[in-house]
Amino acid sequence: MLFSRRLMLGLAMASTLAFPAMAEGPTEIDLFFPVPVDGKLARDMGTMIKEFNETHPAIKATAVYTGSYDDTLIKTRAAIKAGKPPAAVIMSANFLLDMQIENELTNLDALIKSDGSTKEQFLGQFFPALQGNAVINRSVYGVPFHNSTPLLYINADKAKEAGLDPNKPPQTWAELTDWAKKLTKRDGDKVTQWGIAIPCAYDYCGWMMETLTMSNGGRYYNEEFGGEVYYDTPSMLGALTWWNDLVYKHKVHAPGATPGPAVSTSFISGNAAMMMLSTGSLTYVRDNAKFNYKVAFIPRNVRNAVPIGGASLIVPAGLEAEKQKAAWTLIKWMTSPEKSGWWSRATGYFAPNMAAYKTPEMVDFLNKNPDAKTAVEQLDVAKPWFATYKTVPVRKNLEDEVMLVLNGKKQPKEALVAAQKAADETLKPYNETSLKLP
Amino acid sequence: MTLLDRLWKDAPLATRNEITPKLGFVLTVLLALVWLIPFLWMGVATLRPPSDGFNLMAELMPSLKPTLDNVRDAWEIGDFPRYTLNTTIICAGILMVQFVTITLAGFAFARLEFAGKTLIFYLFLMQLMLVPVLLIVPNLTLVAQLGLYDTLTGVMMPFFASAFGTFLMRQAFEAIPTELEDAALIDGAGLFQRIRHIYVPLSMPSFSAFAIISVTSHWNDFLWPLMVINSPDKRPLTVGLSVFTATAEGTQAWGTIAAGTLMVIAPLLVTFLIFQKRFISSFVTSGIK
């Protein structure tokens, strides 16, 4: 009896870190997820988790819908502070640094090691461009789940009509401006068709500003240190001035700040002939466009470069070992080639796991829908998404000013000076670290 | 103009031939129309087929081919009967407890004498100046410690006491003549009997005014239930509805959103139409003048 009890104890000690395992029922875990795309995907997520529970009887996962990316961050933080952290969260990829600074994340190195894998092997499954947002101080904190890059969508029928060749999409800002001029239709003073639409609402606006700034040779933020952003710089000034010119000088872009959903709607309805939008909208465009369309790389002014977007799976800090293990099992399952491929086909996001593109379903899908390849090819020039201390407020410091510019209330230079000043103020507490001098 | 004539009959006799009240009346009607536009649009958008496209989205003119597809979509996406039940439980639960707490607290501030009464009352009123968002983390921590995380009780808990309600009841009770209470006292009524038979019946208008404010604000509350609730079957209407309105990429299916929103506000709207007279009068009458 004694012997067997000791054996049991030994087994229990081995199976968890310190807690004797409760052999009663499955481990119950919550997964927080936002719906960045069509609401029907909330049901797809339900289907996915149901399948996981059927194949893993020892774990019972519940998918909890938590609003937008920003709402998901608020709810996750509140839950951590209340001592009720969820086991896993699909978190906007650029929030990881801020959460790590606040000690809200579990370092995943130990879990990777316990699988007998190395960091290099584990990260090697994913596209290199995605690693910047998942790795902080050489430790893994997130697992890429669904990712995106911005694309240029072109209404091919309207391009042909205007005497342009949709198979040779614009490659530079100069060409794009020219295309937008040719694609704008006017009826006297009234514009009946806009040449191009670029979204600007909280979250999207910052991402688009990073896209344009990078294409203009700029950096947006310090990739090595979470306390600096570069708003008041020539590269960003050029980006914002060009955007402002599209609206007020060339009059080929509707005035005002347009939210993402309105941009995709106006492209689908033929109200805008081109748009810049995430590859995450590709499935929606494919299902709803009643015309031929083309997707292309974001045109450059100085160089071809885009930020990644999308979300990673994270494990919050403060979980019991047993739940951590269950969450890790769920995360590995969700990011496997088959599952991430399935999710990619459902949404339009690309699958971060490179092996997903070798599965027969995916090969078949890409042959039928070659447009889904563009975002993946663009990964060669992709770089991390801006991530700083207090990412959201720092991002809003810029977005508020950009909105004023697009609404014709401010000029680009004064807007960027104001944005820089506000952001420096927001970042101040963190900068104490680099200003602590001997 | 016949409509105006009919409405005219309701105007007080003395002012029937003056011009100023008529102007005021016309302004009121105009204002009412402005308020109605969003509701009209919601109804029109709900019945508009998706094929009408984006350009017609903002039109107030109804589509010539009305369809119920949007209603069906919204109904399928969310478990609306369940959400409605949850929201009803939350609002009713909060209101029941609030009635007890604000009656007793209001009475204490209006009629009892105790040390530091004024100071405590001002502290109470200071709650009105706090932004609810500030309290999310401390409230959630407390709710979790009480073992009420992810329960409907947890959603209701922070609202059981209401500073505004206490203030409202104190004002109402103070307006009631003490002679009435003295008479009851002579008849040998105890404290709670006096509250029950004198103060509460005479303050009914204040109670109904508070009920309206309480129910509408908690019916529409989004952020707090989102924080507390995890289980899909405990979602209130607002959180359920946001599943298909809070999309960042993709698009917004305005027809579906309008249909969903209509389902969310319908119970409140119907209640309001039924009790309209009562609602309005509760804001204008008070006890004995």
Side-chain angles (χ1 to χ4, degrees), chain A residues 275-423:
Chain A
M275 66 170 177
M276 281 187 191
L277 215 60
S278 160
T279 181
S281 303
L282 191 56
T283 300
Y284 169 78
V285 171
R286 188 183 301 133
D287 291 347
N288 292 284
K290 294 182 176 66
F291 49 81
N292 294 306
Y293 65 92
K294 276 265 177 287
V295 288
F297 279 21
I298 295 286
R300 66 182 178 271
N301 197 38
V302 173
R303 59 169 180 175
N304 278 86
V306 289
I308 65 139
S312 299
L313 279 152
I314 56 133
V315 180
L319 280 166
E320 300 133 36
E322 187 194 359
K323 288 198 173 187
Q324 218 177 63
K325 268 206 136 43
W328 186 236
T329 310
L330 173 67
I331 288 174
K332 280 189 299 189
W333 184 85
M334 283 173 77
T335 53
S336 66
E338 293 73 27
K339 288 298 141 210
S340 76
W342 179 81
W343 187 249
S344 160
R345 292 190 293 275
T347 57
Y349 282 96
F350 64 81
N353 194 321
M354 289 189 276
Y357 290 90
K358 301 206 168 49
T359 59
E361 294 92 352
M362 204 65 169
V363 171
D364 192 40
F365 176 81
L366 286 179
N367 285 338
K368 285 199 188 92
N369 303 289
D371 54 5
K373 286 182 198 155
T374 311
V376 182
E377 286 161 0
Q378 201 176 218
L379 278 175
D380 291 343
V381 298
K383 290 187 166 42
W385 193 354
F386 61 88
T388 59
Y389 170 75
K390 290 203 189 305
T391 296
V392 177
V394 170
R395 187 196 75 208
K396 285 184 176 173
N397 290 144
L398 175 67
E399 288 172 326
D400 286 332
E401 295 295 331
V402 172
M403 287 176 193
L404 287 173
V405 171
L406 294 177
N407 284 316
K409 294 196 169 49
K410 257 193 187 181
Q411 285 307 306
K413 176 67 189 171
E414 53 168 333
L416 290 180
V417 169
Q420 185 71 55
K421 196 162 158 264

Side-chain angles (χ1 to χ4, degrees), chain B:
Chain B
M1 276 327 268
T2 50
L3 171 75
L4 269 181
D5 284 338
R6 221 166 344 123
L7 290 165
W8 240 230
K9 286 204 185 71
D10 292 338
L13 203 62
T15 59
R16 216 163 279 182
N17 296 322
E18 290 177 21
I19 187 75
T20 342
K22 286 188 186 170
L23 272 178
F25 194 84
V26 170
L27 278 177
T28 314
V29 172
L30 281 177
L31 209 59
L33 284 177
V34 172
W35 274 101
L36 264 179
I37 287 172
F39 291 97
L40 286 176
W41 180 82
M42 196 161 37
V44 170
T46 301
L47 299 176
R48 186 183 297 289
S51 58
D52 272 18
F54 173 72
N55 294 340
L56 293 172
M57 184 204 84
E59 285 282 333
L60 267 177
M61 283 306 294
S63 164
L64 297 173
K65 307 186 291 283
T67 161
L68 285 174
D69 285 359
N70 293 323
V71 180
R72 200 198 56 226
D73 277 352
W75 188 260
E76 279 175 4
I77 290 172
D79 181 0
F80 278 95
R82 175 107 235 171
Y83 300 158
T84 312
L85 179 69
N86 290 336
T87 295
T88 312
I89 292 173
I90 290 170
C91 290
I94 291 176
L95 192 63
M96 289 304 129
V97 181
Q98 274 178 337
F99 273 160
V100 175
T101 54
I102 66 174
T103 305
L104 298 178
F107 181 81
F109 283 128
R111 288 283 180 262
L112 300 182
E113 288 304 329
F114 50 94
K117 177 169 146 181
T118 320
L119 179 71
I120 294 174
F121 184 62
Y122 284 136
L123 284 177
F124 237 87
L125 286 188
M126 271 171 72
Q127 279 186 57
L128 289 174
M129 294 162 202
L130 288 179
V131 189
V133 177
L134 267 181
L135 299 171
I136 281 182
V137 171
N139 277 347
L140 196 67
T141 312
L142 191 60
V143 162
Q145 281 166 349
L146 293 166
L148 295 170
Y149 188 71
D150 194 24
T151 62
L152 291 179
T153 322
V155 178
M156 301 177 210
M157 203 89 179
F159 306 105
F160 282 167
S162 156
F164 171 72
T166 305
F167 174 73
L168 199 72
M169 291 333 291
R170 171 183 175 262
Q171 300 309 92
F173 291 162
E174 278 193 338
I176 292 167
T178 42
E179 288 83 355
L180 291 172
E181 194 185 353
D182 293 344
L185 205 54
I186 291 164
D187 289 343
L191 178 69
F192 286 98
Q193 279 177 310
R194 296 201 298 277
I195 295 177
R196 164 79 191 76
H197 294 287
I198 308 284
Y199 284 95
V200 172
L202 287 174
S203 310
M204 270 307 164
S206 294
F207 278 115
S208 33
F210 177 73
I212 296 161
I213 290 161
S214 167
V215 170
T216 44
S217 68
H218 298 304
W219 192 279
N220 296 327
D221 198 7
F222 168 72
L223 202 59
W224 174 247
L226 181 76
M227 294 296 131
V228 182
I229 295 297
N230 282 354
S231 315
D233 61 337
K234 290 181 190 151
R235 276 181 200 153
L237 280 166
T238 42
V239 178
L241 180 71
S242 75
V243 171
F244 52 95
T245 56
T247 59
E249 309 186 9
T251 182
Q252 282 174 321
W254 284 108
T256 323
I257 293 175
T261 314
L262 206 58
M263 287 180 208
V264 172
I265 63 163
L268 271 190
L269 213 55
V270 170
T271 318
F272 178 76
L273 291 175
I274 294 171
F275 295 110
Q276 199 181 1
K277 266 260 183 305
R278 242 196 128 163
F279 279 173
I280 307 292
S281 61
S282 71
F283 282 101
V284 291
T285 55
S286 61
I288 306 169
K289 283 283 182 301

Side-chain angles (χ1 to χ4, degrees), chain A residues 152 154 165-179 215-216 242 274 276 295-305 378:
Chain A
L152 178 68
I154 301 166
D165 181 0
N167 294 318
K168 292 204 189 87
Q171 304 210 343
T172 63
W173 288 7
E175 288 172 19
L176 183 63
T177 312
D178 182 56
W179 272 57
S215 314
N216 205 17
W242 177 66
M274 292 188 288
M276 281 187 191
V295 288
F297 279 21
I298 295 286
R300 66 182 178 271
N301 197 38
V302 173
R303 59 169 180 175
N304 278 86
Q378 201 176 218

